Amino acid sequence: METRREFLRRTTVFGCAAPMLLRAAGSNAADEVGVQDRDAADRALDLAEWSYFWVGVEQAHLARGTVVNGKQMYVEYWIPAQARHPYAMVLVHGGGGQGTDWMGTPDGRPGWLTCLLQAGFRVYVVDRPGHGRSPFHPDLDGPFPPQAAVLEAISGQFTPPTAARPATGPYRKLHNQWPGTGEVGAPELDQLVACQGGSYATAGGPGPAGGTPGGRGGPSGALGTPSGALTPPPVDGGLSTGAETAHMVWRQRGAMLLDKIGPAIIMTHSAGGPFGWLVAEARPNLVKGIVCIEGGGAPFGGQNIWGLSTIPVAYDPPVAAPSEIKTRDVTSSEPGVQPYRLQEEPARKLKNLQGIPMVIVTAEASFASPGNPGAIDFLRQAGCKAEELRLVDHGIHGNGHMMMVEKNNRQVLQPIIDWIQKNVPAPAGRAPRTPNVARKTESTAMNLADQGYFWVGTEHKPMPYGTIISGQMYVQYLVPAHVRHQYPVVLVHGGTGQMLHYMGSGDGLAGWAHYYVQEGYRVYLVDRPGQGRAPYHPDALGPIGPQPTYAAAVADFKRATLGPHRQWPGTGEIGDPLIDRFMASQNAAPQDQAWTRSDRRSCRRIRQAGRSAGSSRMSGRTW
C-alpha cells in the first residue's frame, strides 16, 4: 500500500492553492540570490519535533447540532534536537493578540520563540480560548467586540509617539527601538495589527484584568475598544451560574496543559499576565517560575478583586469573599508610579504561590514604565518570591510595550534568560526531557534554515471609529537547511478549516508540511482570511456562518474506517479523540471570501516576504 510520504514524493501537491499564489511564491535564483543577507545563525533551528495539540476540547449541544464549546485552547510546540533545560517554556500572549507575538517580528526577524529554542528550551506557544487558532464564535463565546482593532489606536501607543499621539510623561519619548516609524500606513504597523483579534469572554463576564475586552492591558481603548466602566466580575468566577469567566477558563486550560507536558516556566505578556499565577494557583507543583512581561495589573485595582486575580485564590488564613480582605492605600515617591493598594497587616499569605520564583519585566519607554512595584510589594507581602526586572537597570534602553518584537529583541531577552538560570535551577539528577519518538511511525523532526510568518492583503478599511485591517491572510513558512527543489509548496486548507490540516493530527504525528520540508521543499502554509490565525471581525468580513457541527463531519471520517483499505485510525464517530482534535480547529466561514479576490498587490507581497524569509536558499546548488 502506498504511504502518504510515497504519494507526496510522486506528486506535486499544493492543496487548493490558486495559480496566482504559486506564481507569487515561486521565483528564480537570479532574482533572489543576493537579496538581503541574513545572519543564518540567528535563524537556523535543528528541531526534534514540531507539532500541536488542543486542551479542553468539550462538546456543546446546540439546537442545530453538537459542536465544540469554544473553550478549547490551542498549543503549538517546538522541541530542539538538543534540549538543555529541564523545564519547558510556555509562552502566553497579550490581550488582543495571539501566539504570533512570540513567533516573529513585524519586520521579519526571528522572535523570542527562535531565541529560546536556540538557547535549548522546549517551547509551547499558547493561543488562549477565543484567540488565534482557538476559534471564537458568538453562539458560544458571546458577541464580538463592538469594534475591530484600530490602526490609529495602536500607532503611538505600542509604537513610538507620533504627531497624532505625542508622548506624555517622561518615559514614552524615549521609545526608539520600534522597527519602523509606527505611523498609520507603515508596513510594520500593518503586520502588527493584522494579528489582532480574539476577545474571549463569557457573556456578562469581565474582560482582561488591567485593560479592556479585546485589548492588551494598556490604557482604556488601546485597541479601539470604547472606554468605560467594566461589569464587576462575579466573586466565584462564574462557577455558581455555570458561566465561567475568561480567567476561570484560562486557569482550567492552563492546568490541563501542565498536566500534559509536566513542569514548566510560564512567560506571559500584558493582559495575558494573570495566566501565570492563575495556573500556579491550580498546579503549584508544576509551575516552576513565572515571567510576566508588563502585565497582571495592580493589586486590588480594576477587576482584581482577589488581589492580582479576578477569580478566587487560596489565602491563609482563608477568606470566603474578597470583601473580607482589608486593604490600605500606598502612594509611591517614584515619579510615574500610580498609587496602589496592599493588605492591611497582618497580611494573609497566598497559600499556593509560596516558593514559586516570579519576575515582572518592564521596558524603559512603555506606557507601563517605570515599573510595577505595587504588584511586587503585594506578592512579597503575601509571602511570595517576587522581584522586578527593569531593562534600564541592565543597560537596555528605548523599548516599548512590545519589546519582544523590537529591534533589540535578542538583547532584551538575555537578562530574562539570566534570571531564569539563576532563580529556576534544575533539580539534582533531572535531565532535560527528550522527545518520545518510539511511539511514532514517522518523525516530525526538521533541520531548518529559517521559519517564521507574515501577512498579505492587509487592506485598510475606514470605519466611523477609525481605520481597520480587512482581508489579511496569514502565511507561516518553513525553509529547510538543504533546499533541493526550485519551487516552493503553498498549502491552502479546506472550507471551514485552517492550516493545521497539513500539520498532521497533532500530538507529534507528522503531516504533509513535515514531509515536504524533509524532502527539501520550502513550504508556505496559509490561513485564509477570517480563519485560523487570520482574525475575523464582522466589520472587516461581514456576517459569519454557523459553527460547524460534528454531524457535518463524521460521515466522511466514518467512510474512511470501512472496507479492507481503511485509512482513518480512529472510530470515525462522535467521541473519537482524533475527530475532537479536528473539530476543535473548525472555523465558521465569513461571508466575505476575501481570499478569492484577484489582488496582484497580495501576490507581490507574498513574493517580497518570501524573499526576505530566505526563500532563495539552495544550499549552494545551481538551479
Side-chain angles (χ1 to χ4, degrees):
M1 180 182 297
E2 183 178 61
T3 67
R4 290 180 294 171
R5 184 180 295 274
E6 289 167 343
F7 171 75
L8 292 180
R9 281 175 175 162
R10 71 174 179 81
T11 60
T12 303
V13 178
F14 297 97
C16 308
M20 71 173 189
L21 290 179
L22 304 184
R23 292 196 300 272
S27 56
N28 59 66
D31 285 343
E32 293 192 339
V33 171
V35 292
Q36 189 175 9
D37 286 337
R38 302 284 186 178
D39 183 354
D42 283 349
R43 295 176 171 273
L45 289 173
D46 188 6
L47 299 177
E49 192 168 335
W50 170 60
S51 190
Y52 72 95
F53 55 84
W54 299 87
V55 293
V57 181
E58 300 168 349
Q59 295 177 5
H61 304 288
L62 307 179
R64 52 180 301 273
T66 299
V67 300
V68 176
N69 71 1
K71 298 179 183 179
Q72 68 269 37
M73 187 170 78
Y74 173 78
V75 183
E76 190 166 342
Y77 68 92
W78 296 254
I79 297 177
Q82 297 296 324
R84 298 191 295 277
H85 295 273
Y87 302 126
M89 187 76 75
V90 175
L91 304 182
V92 183
H93 60 83
Q98 54 176 301
T100 51
D101 290 354
W102 312 99
M103 292 168 57
T105 69
D107 60 337
R109 291 172 294 108
W112 281 9
L113 163 66
T114 296
C115 301
L116 290 167
L117 288 168
Q118 291 171 338
F121 288 93
R122 293 171 287 121
V123 181
Y124 294 76
V125 175
V126 163
D127 283 347
R128 301 193 321 262
H131 295 255
R133 296 206 180 283
S134 301
F136 182 107
H137 197 280
D139 289 351
L140 303 165
D141 302 312
F144 287 100
Q147 299 175 2
V150 178
L151 288 165
E152 291 87 353
I154 302 289
S155 179
Q157 180 69 14
F158 299 101
T159 69
T162 64
R165 196 168 194 167
T168 58
Y171 303 109
R172 290 288 295 120
K173 64 184 180 182
L174 304 175
H175 192 183
N176 59 17
Q177 293 290 352
W178 179 255
T181 68
E183 297 273 4
V184 174
E188 84 286 345
L189 182 66
D190 287 351
Q191 292 289 307
L192 174 69
V193 180
C195 302
Q196 301 300 302
S199 183
Y200 175 90
T202 300
T212 55
R216 284 183 173 272
S220 193
L223 283 181
T225 306
S227 61
L230 298 175
T231 304
V235 297
D236 66 349
L239 288 178
S240 61
T241 62
E244 293 96 337
T245 63
H247 283 182
M248 189 64 75
V249 176
W250 293 7
R251 174 185 288 175
Q252 296 163 353
R253 273 44 185 173
M256 294 174 185
L257 169 59
L258 296 195
D259 288 343
K260 182 178 179 69
I261 70 173
I265 301 163
I266 300 178
M267 183 185 293
T268 65
H269 179 232
S270 192
F275 192 100
W277 33 81
L278 292 176
V279 177
E281 178 73 21
R283 295 294 184 272
N285 294 328
L286 294 180
V287 177
K288 297 303 180 182
I290 297 172
V291 179
C292 181
I293 310 295
E294 294 194 357
F300 304 105
Q303 297 187 345
N304 282 338
I305 59 177
W306 289 90
L308 282 176
S309 174
T310 66
I311 60 177
V313 296
Y315 279 98
D316 185 19
V319 296
S323 59
E324 298 178 32
I325 307 171
K326 304 306 179 184
T327 64
R328 60 185 176 89
D329 294 334
V330 176
T331 301
S332 174
S333 60
E334 183 177 9
V337 175
Q338 298 298 312
Y340 54 91
R341 298 164 70 190
L342 296 177
Q343 296 184 71
E344 289 186 355
E345 297 291 350
R348 290 176 165 84
K349 305 305 179 184
L350 287 168
K351 180 178 179 181
N352 292 328
L353 303 189
Q354 305 294 301
I356 300 174
M358 308 177 197
V359 64
I360 296 179
V361 181
T362 308
E364 179 187 41
S366 168
F367 55 71
S369 304
N372 193 352
I376 299 301
D377 288 350
F378 165 78
L379 290 167
R380 287 175 174 171
Q381 185 190 39
C384 299
K385 181 182 178 182
E387 61 183 291
E388 274 199 285
L389 192 162
R390 298 187 181 184
L391 296 182
V392 69
D393 294 337
H394 294 262
I396 301 173
H397 298 280
N399 289 102
H401 188 57
M402 295 296 294
M403 62 192 80
M404 69 284 297
V405 305
E406 296 198 300
K407 291 186 291 187
N408 62 341
N409 63 338
R410 281 184 179 269
Q411 182 188 16
V412 171
L413 182 61
Q414 191 55 55
I416 298 172
I417 292 178
D418 294 342
W419 181 88
I420 291 171
Q421 302 283 31
K422 177 182 177 182
N423 292 279
V424 193
R430 182 183 177 93
R433 174 187 173 275
T434 56
N436 179 17
V437 297
R439 64 184 173 85
K440 299 176 219 169
T441 58
E442 294 182 307
S443 174
T444 64
M446 300 183 296
N447 190 359
L448 299 176
D450 197 6
Q451 70 161 4
Y453 74 91
F454 55 87
W455 298 89
V456 296
T458 52
E459 302 171 0
H460 289 192
K461 182 177 181 179
M463 299 296 296
Y465 53 85
T467 307
I468 67 174
I469 297 271
S470 174
Q472 68 267 42
M473 185 169 75
Y474 176 79
V475 184
Q476 187 166 338
Y477 63 85
L478 304 162
V479 180
H482 301 289
V483 177
R484 297 190 293 272
H485 300 274
Q486 177 175 355
Y487 298 113
V489 174
V490 178
L491 299 171
V492 185
H493 59 81
T496 57
Q498 46 182 300
M499 63 169 251
L500 301 183
H501 291 179
Y502 297 103
M503 287 176 60
S505 299
D507 267 329
L509 298 174
W512 285 11
H514 301 92
Y515 304 153
Y516 274 122
V517 171
Q518 291 162 355
E519 289 294 315
Y521 286 94
R522 290 166 287 138
V523 172
Y524 295 79
L525 298 110
V526 163
D527 282 330
R528 302 197 319 263
Q531 297 183 254
R533 289 206 183 278
Y536 166 82
H537 191 278
D539 286 353
L541 294 172
I544 195 171
Q547 183 69 8
T549 64
Y550 275 82
V554 293
D556 285 338
F557 292 110
K558 186 62 180 178
R559 280 192 290 271
T561 68
L562 304 175
H565 304 296
R566 58 171 291 169
Q567 294 292 337
W568 184 252
T571 65
E573 299 174 345
I574 295 178
D576 182 342
L578 293 176
I579 293 182
D580 284 342
R581 293 182 203 171
F582 176 83
M583 293 303 301
S585 70
Q586 293 299 287
N587 303 262
Q591 183 181 82
D592 184 351
Q593 296 291 306
W595 66 280
T596 64
R597 300 172 190 164
S598 181
D599 186 349
R600 293 186 178 275
R601 289 175 300 169
S602 297
C603 297
R604 288 195 297 270
R605 288 173 186 172
I606 288 180
R607 174 174 292 190
Q608 291 162 1
R611 288 172 177 173
S612 67
S615 59
S616 62
R617 290 187 179 89
M618 290 294 289
S619 303
R621 291 169 170 77
T622 57
W623 295 20

